[in-house]
PDB file of all heavy atoms in Angstrom:
ATOM      1  N   GLN A   1     -94.492  70.144  88.177  1.00 62.00           N
ATOM      2  CA  GLN A   1     -94.943  68.946  88.874  1.00 62.00           C
ATOM      3  C   GLN A   1     -93.792  68.325  89.671  1.00 62.00           C
ATOM      4  O   GLN A   1     -92.648  68.293  89.222  1.00 62.00           O
ATOM      5  CB  GLN A   1     -95.483  67.932  87.870  1.00 62.00           C
ATOM      6  CG  GLN A   1     -96.760  68.397  87.177  1.00 62.00           C
ATOM      7  CD  GLN A   1     -97.298  67.317  86.244  1.00 62.00           C
ATOM      8  OE1 GLN A   1     -96.633  66.294  86.028  1.00 62.00           O
ATOM      9  NE2 GLN A   1     -98.483  67.555  85.710  1.00 62.00           N
ATOM     10  N   ASP A   2     -94.106  67.771  90.908  1.00 64.00           N
ATOM     11  CA  ASP A   2     -93.129  67.078  91.770  1.00 64.00           C
ATOM     12  C   ASP A   2     -93.237  65.595  91.500  1.00 64.00           C
ATOM     13  O   ASP A   2     -94.248  64.959  91.832  1.00 64.00           O
ATOM     14  CB  ASP A   2     -93.426  67.378  93.239  1.00 64.00           C
ATOM     15  CG  ASP A   2     -92.331  66.835  94.174  1.00 64.00           C
ATOM     16  OD1 ASP A   2     -91.564  65.949  93.724  1.00 64.00           O
ATOM     17  OD2 ASP A   2     -92.293  67.279  95.323  1.00 64.00           O
ATOM     18  N   ALA A   3     -92.220  65.020  90.832  1.00 66.00           N
ATOM     19  CA  ALA A   3     -92.265  63.609  90.441  1.00 66.00           C
ATOM     20  C   ALA A   3     -92.400  62.697  91.655  1.00 66.00           C
ATOM     21  O   ALA A   3     -93.151  61.709  91.644  1.00 66.00           O
ATOM     22  CB  ALA A   3     -90.998  63.257  89.650  1.00 66.00           C
ATOM     23  N   ALA A   4     -91.664  62.976  92.742  1.00 69.00           N
ATOM     24  CA  ALA A   4     -91.708  62.129  93.956  1.00 69.00           C
ATOM     25  C   ALA A   4     -93.101  62.157  94.566  1.00 69.00           C
ATOM     26  O   ALA A   4     -93.625  61.130  95.028  1.00 69.00           O
ATOM     27  CB  ALA A   4     -90.667  62.592  94.970  1.00 69.00           C
ATOM     28  N   ALA A   5     -93.723  63.355  94.566  1.00 63.00           N
ATOM     29  CA  ALA A   5     -95.064  63.474  95.158  1.00 63.00           C
ATOM     30  C   ALA A   5     -96.079  62.674  94.345  1.00 63.00           C
ATOM     31  O   ALA A   5     -96.983  62.048  94.922  1.00 63.00           O
ATOM     32  CB  ALA A   5     -95.480  64.938  95.199  1.00 63.00           C
ATOM     33  N   GLU A   6     -95.918  62.647  93.042  1.00 66.00           N
ATOM     34  CA  GLU A   6     -96.816  61.886  92.200  1.00 66.00           C
ATOM     35  C   GLU A   6     -96.686  60.400  92.465  1.00 66.00           C
ATOM     36  O   GLU A   6     -97.670  59.661  92.513  1.00 66.00           O
ATOM     37  CB  GLU A   6     -96.548  62.187  90.723  1.00 66.00           C
ATOM     38  CG  GLU A   6     -96.948  63.587  90.285  1.00 66.00           C
ATOM     39  CD  GLU A   6     -98.460  63.802  90.388  1.00 66.00           C
ATOM     40  OE1 GLU A   6     -99.219  62.853  90.070  1.00 66.00           O
ATOM     41  OE2 GLU A   6     -98.880  64.906  90.772  1.00 66.00           O
ATOM     42  N   LEU A   7     -95.430  59.922  92.615  1.00 65.00           N
ATOM     43  CA  LEU A   7     -95.210  58.505  92.911  1.00 65.00           C
ATOM     44  C   LEU A   7     -95.765  58.147  94.277  1.00 65.00           C
ATOM     45  O   LEU A   7     -96.353  57.061  94.467  1.00 65.00           O
ATOM     46  CB  LEU A   7     -93.708  58.176  92.849  1.00 65.00           C
ATOM     47  CG  LEU A   7     -93.090  58.173  91.436  1.00 65.00           C
ATOM     48  CD1 LEU A   7     -91.573  57.956  91.530  1.00 65.00           C
ATOM     49  CD2 LEU A   7     -93.716  57.075  90.590  1.00 65.00           C
ATOM     50  N   GLU A   8     -95.599  59.036  95.244  1.00 68.00           N
ATOM     51  CA  GLU A   8     -96.134  58.795  96.594  1.00 68.00           C
ATOM     52  C   GLU A   8     -97.642  58.645  96.551  1.00 68.00           C
ATOM     53  O   GLU A   8     -98.226  57.760  97.192  1.00 68.00           O
ATOM     54  CB  GLU A   8     -95.753  59.964  97.501  1.00 68.00           C
ATOM     55  CG  GLU A   8     -96.244  59.780  98.940  1.00 68.00           C
ATOM     56  CD  GLU A   8     -95.881  60.969  99.819  1.00 68.00           C
ATOM     57  OE1 GLU A   8     -95.154  61.873  99.325  1.00 68.00           O
ATOM     58  OE2 GLU A   8     -96.353  61.002 100.959  1.00 68.00           O
ATOM     59  N   LYS A   9     -98.290  59.463  95.806  1.00 70.00           N
ATOM     60  CA  LYS A   9     -99.751  59.399  95.653  1.00 70.00           C
ATOM     61  C   LYS A   9    -100.147  58.079  95.011  1.00 70.00           C
ATOM     62  O   LYS A   9    -101.141  57.441  95.413  1.00 70.00           O
ATOM     63  CB  LYS A   9    -100.215  60.566  94.781  1.00 70.00           C
ATOM     64  CG  LYS A   9    -101.697  60.612  94.557  1.00 70.00           C
ATOM     65  CD  LYS A   9    -102.063  61.826  93.712  1.00 70.00           C
ATOM     66  CE  LYS A   9    -103.582  61.852  93.446  1.00 70.00           C
ATOM     67  NZ  LYS A   9    -103.956  63.010  92.577  1.00 70.00           N
ATOM     68  N   LYS A  10     -99.336  57.597  94.034  1.00 66.00           N
ATOM     69  CA  LYS A  10     -99.636  56.357  93.356  1.00 66.00           C
ATOM     70  C   LYS A  10     -99.593  55.182  94.316  1.00 66.00           C
ATOM     71  O   LYS A  10    -100.492  54.333  94.341  1.00 66.00           O
ATOM     72  CB  LYS A  10     -98.632  56.156  92.215  1.00 66.00           C
ATOM     73  CG  LYS A  10     -98.751  54.824  91.494  1.00 66.00           C
ATOM     74  CD  LYS A  10     -97.696  54.729  90.393  1.00 66.00           C
ATOM     75  CE  LYS A  10     -97.776  53.333  89.732  1.00 66.00           C
ATOM     76  NZ  LYS A  10     -96.724  53.195  88.697  1.00 66.00           N
ATOM     77  N   TYR A  11     -98.529  55.130  95.144  1.00 63.00           N
ATOM     78  CA  TYR A  11     -98.399  54.001  96.064  1.00 63.00           C
ATOM     79  C   TYR A  11     -99.410  54.077  97.189  1.00 63.00           C
ATOM     80  O   TYR A  11     -99.850  53.048  97.714  1.00 63.00           O
ATOM     81  CB  TYR A  11     -96.963  53.943  96.620  1.00 63.00           C
ATOM     82  CG  TYR A  11     -95.988  53.358  95.603  1.00 63.00           C
ATOM     83  CD1 TYR A  11     -95.129  54.166  94.878  1.00 63.00           C
ATOM     84  CD2 TYR A  11     -95.958  51.964  95.359  1.00 63.00           C
ATOM     85  CE1 TYR A  11     -94.264  53.645  93.942  1.00 63.00           C
ATOM     86  CE2 TYR A  11     -95.081  51.439  94.419  1.00 63.00           C
ATOM     87  CZ  TYR A  11     -94.239  52.263  93.724  1.00 63.00           C
ATOM     88  OH  TYR A  11     -93.397  51.731  92.809  1.00 63.00           O
ATOM     89  N   ALA A  12     -99.784  55.279  97.539  1.00 65.00           N
ATOM     90  CA  ALA A  12    -100.805  55.428  98.588  1.00 65.00           C
ATOM     91  C   ALA A  12    -102.135  54.889  98.090  1.00 65.00           C
ATOM     92  O   ALA A  12    -102.850  54.196  98.826  1.00 65.00           O
ATOM     93  CB  ALA A  12    -100.936  56.888  98.975  1.00 65.00           C
ATOM     94  N   GLU A  13    -102.451  55.155  96.868  1.00 67.00           N
ATOM     95  CA  GLU A  13    -103.685  54.647  96.290  1.00 67.00           C
ATOM     96  C   GLU A  13    -103.636  53.130  96.154  1.00 67.00           C
ATOM     97  O   GLU A  13    -104.645  52.441  96.373  1.00 67.00           O
ATOM     98  CB  GLU A  13    -103.931  55.287  94.912  1.00 67.00           C
ATOM     99  CG  GLU A  13    -104.268  56.769  94.991  1.00 67.00           C
ATOM    100  CD  GLU A  13    -104.414  57.396  93.625  1.00 67.00           C
ATOM    101  OE1 GLU A  13    -104.054  56.703  92.627  1.00 67.00           O
ATOM    102  OE2 GLU A  13    -104.859  58.562  93.526  1.00 67.00           O
ATOM    103  N   ALA A  14    -102.437  52.572  95.837  1.00 63.00           N
ATOM    104  CA  ALA A  14    -102.287  51.121  95.713  1.00 63.00           C
ATOM    105  C   ALA A  14    -102.477  50.447  97.069  1.00 63.00           C
ATOM    106  O   ALA A  14    -103.116  49.395  97.182  1.00 63.00           O
ATOM    107  CB  ALA A  14    -100.909  50.772  95.132  1.00 63.00           C
ATOM    108  N   GLY A  15    -101.928  51.043  98.132  1.00 62.00           N
ATOM    109  CA  GLY A  15    -102.069  50.479  99.490  1.00 62.00           C
ATOM    110  C   GLY A  15    -103.517  50.482  99.923  1.00 62.00           C
ATOM    111  O   GLY A  15    -103.998  49.542 100.555  1.00 62.00           O
ATOM    112  N   SER A  16    -104.215  51.513  99.607  1.00 64.00           N
ATOM    113  CA  SER A  16    -105.624  51.615  99.969  1.00 64.00           C
ATOM    114  C   SER A  16    -106.425  50.538  99.273  1.00 64.00           C
ATOM    115  O   SER A  16    -107.311  49.901  99.869  1.00 64.00           O
ATOM    116  CB  SER A  16    -106.151  52.997  99.589  1.00 64.00           C
ATOM    117  OG  SER A  16    -107.534  53.085  99.842  1.00 64.00           O
ATOM    118  N   THR A  17    -106.118  50.274  98.056  1.00 69.00           N
ATOM    119  CA  THR A  17    -106.821  49.239  97.303  1.00 69.00           C
ATOM    120  C   THR A  17    -106.565  47.862  97.895  1.00 69.00           C
ATOM    121  O   THR A  17    -107.468  47.016  97.996  1.00 69.00           O
ATOM    122  CB  THR A  17    -106.375  49.271  95.825  1.00 69.00           C
ATOM    123  OG1 THR A  17    -106.661  50.565  95.276  1.00 69.00           O
ATOM    124  CG2 THR A  17    -107.082  48.210  95.006  1.00 69.00           C
ATOM    125  N   ALA A  18    -105.296  47.597  98.306  1.00 67.00           N
ATOM    126  CA  ALA A  18    -104.943  46.296  98.916  1.00 67.00           C
ATOM    127  C   ALA A  18    -105.690  46.098 100.216  1.00 67.00           C
ATOM    128  O   ALA A  18    -106.169  44.999 100.529  1.00 67.00           O
ATOM    129  CB  ALA A  18    -103.425  46.228  99.150  1.00 67.00           C
ATOM    130  N   ALA A  19    -105.815  47.126 101.025  1.00 70.00           N
ATOM    131  CA  ALA A  19    -106.525  47.026 102.304  1.00 70.00           C
ATOM    132  C   ALA A  19    -107.991  46.703 102.062  1.00 70.00           C
ATOM    133  O   ALA A  19    -108.588  45.895 102.801  1.00 70.00           O
ATOM    134  CB  ALA A  19    -106.389  48.333 103.069  1.00 70.00           C
ATOM    135  N   VAL A  20    -108.563  47.288 101.086  1.00 69.00           N
ATOM    136  CA  VAL A  20    -109.972  47.014 100.753  1.00 69.00           C
ATOM    137  C   VAL A  20    -110.120  45.558 100.316  1.00 69.00           C
ATOM    138  O   VAL A  20    -111.079  44.865 100.709  1.00 69.00           O
ATOM    139  CB  VAL A  20    -110.461  47.965  99.653  1.00 69.00           C
ATOM    140  CG1 VAL A  20    -111.845  47.542  99.156  1.00 69.00           C
ATOM    141  CG2 VAL A  20    -110.525  49.377 100.179  1.00 69.00           C
ATOM    142  N   ASP A  21    -109.157  45.070  99.531  1.00 74.00           N
ATOM    143  CA  ASP A  21    -109.223  43.678  99.067  1.00 74.00           C
ATOM    144  C   ASP A  21    -109.132  42.720 100.252  1.00 74.00           C
ATOM    145  O   ASP A  21    -109.836  41.691 100.296  1.00 74.00           O
ATOM    146  CB  ASP A  21    -108.088  43.400  98.071  1.00 74.00           C
ATOM    147  CG  ASP A  21    -108.309  44.142  96.745  1.00 74.00           C
ATOM    148  OD1 ASP A  21    -109.477  44.551  96.468  1.00 74.00           O
ATOM    149  OD2 ASP A  21    -107.340  44.324  95.953  1.00 74.00           O
ATOM    150  N   ASP A  22    -108.244  42.989 101.228  1.00 75.00           N
ATOM    151  CA  ASP A  22    -108.107  42.133 102.420  1.00 75.00           C
ATOM    152  C   ASP A  22    -109.391  42.130 103.205  1.00 75.00           C
ATOM    153  O   ASP A  22    -109.843  41.067 103.690  1.00 75.00           O
ATOM    154  CB  ASP A  22    -106.951  42.619 103.299  1.00 75.00           C
ATOM    155  CG  ASP A  22    -105.589  42.399 102.629  1.00 75.00           C
ATOM    156  OD1 ASP A  22    -105.545  41.584 101.660  1.00 75.00           O
ATOM    157  OD2 ASP A  22    -104.615  43.073 103.013  1.00 75.00           O
ATOM    158  N   GLU A  23    -109.994  43.306 103.395  1.00 76.00           N
ATOM    159  CA  GLU A  23    -111.233  43.409 104.168  1.00 76.00           C
ATOM    160  C   GLU A  23    -112.348  42.648 103.456  1.00 76.00           C
ATOM    161  O   GLU A  23    -113.168  41.957 104.125  1.00 76.00           O
ATOM    162  CB  GLU A  23    -111.610  44.883 104.318  1.00 76.00           C
ATOM    163  CG  GLU A  23    -112.840  45.149 105.180  1.00 76.00           C
ATOM    164  CD  GLU A  23    -112.558  44.861 106.649  1.00 76.00           C
ATOM    165  OE1 GLU A  23    -111.387  44.875 107.038  1.00 76.00           O
ATOM    166  OE2 GLU A  23    -113.537  44.643 107.381  1.00 76.00           O
ATOM    167  N   LEU A  24    -112.403  42.665 102.164  1.00 75.00           N
ATOM    168  CA  LEU A  24    -113.410  41.958 101.397  1.00 75.00           C
ATOM    169  C   LEU A  24    -113.243  40.426 101.538  1.00 75.00           C
ATOM    170  O   LEU A  24    -114.214  39.676 101.675  1.00 75.00           O
ATOM    171  CB  LEU A  24    -113.323  42.347  99.912  1.00 75.00           C
ATOM    172  CG  LEU A  24    -114.303  41.666  98.973  1.00 75.00           C
ATOM    173  CD1 LEU A  24    -115.749  41.993  99.387  1.00 75.00           C
ATOM    174  CD2 LEU A  24    -114.066  42.089  97.537  1.00 75.00           C
ATOM    175  N   ALA A  25    -111.976  39.977 101.548  1.00 79.00           N
ATOM    176  CA  ALA A  25    -111.701  38.532 101.686  1.00 79.00           C
ATOM    177  C   ALA A  25    -112.150  38.036 103.052  1.00 79.00           C
ATOM    178  O   ALA A  25    -112.719  36.941 103.179  1.00 79.00           O
ATOM    179  CB  ALA A  25    -110.200  38.263 101.473  1.00 79.00           C
TER     180      ALA A  25
END
């Protein structure tokens, strides 16, 4: 497993969630 790639995926998912929250507001 690539630790950096896993972290990148985590933050990408977090950013997507924040964008959805802004659009909902």
Side-chain angles (χ1 to χ4, degrees):
Q1 293 183 353
D2 188 341
E6 290 295 321
L7 289 175
E8 181 181 354
K9 180 178 178 182
K10 175 181 177 182
Y11 283 103
E13 291 176 350
S16 176
T17 301
V20 171
D21 290 341
D22 292 343
E23 184 70 22
L24 179 60

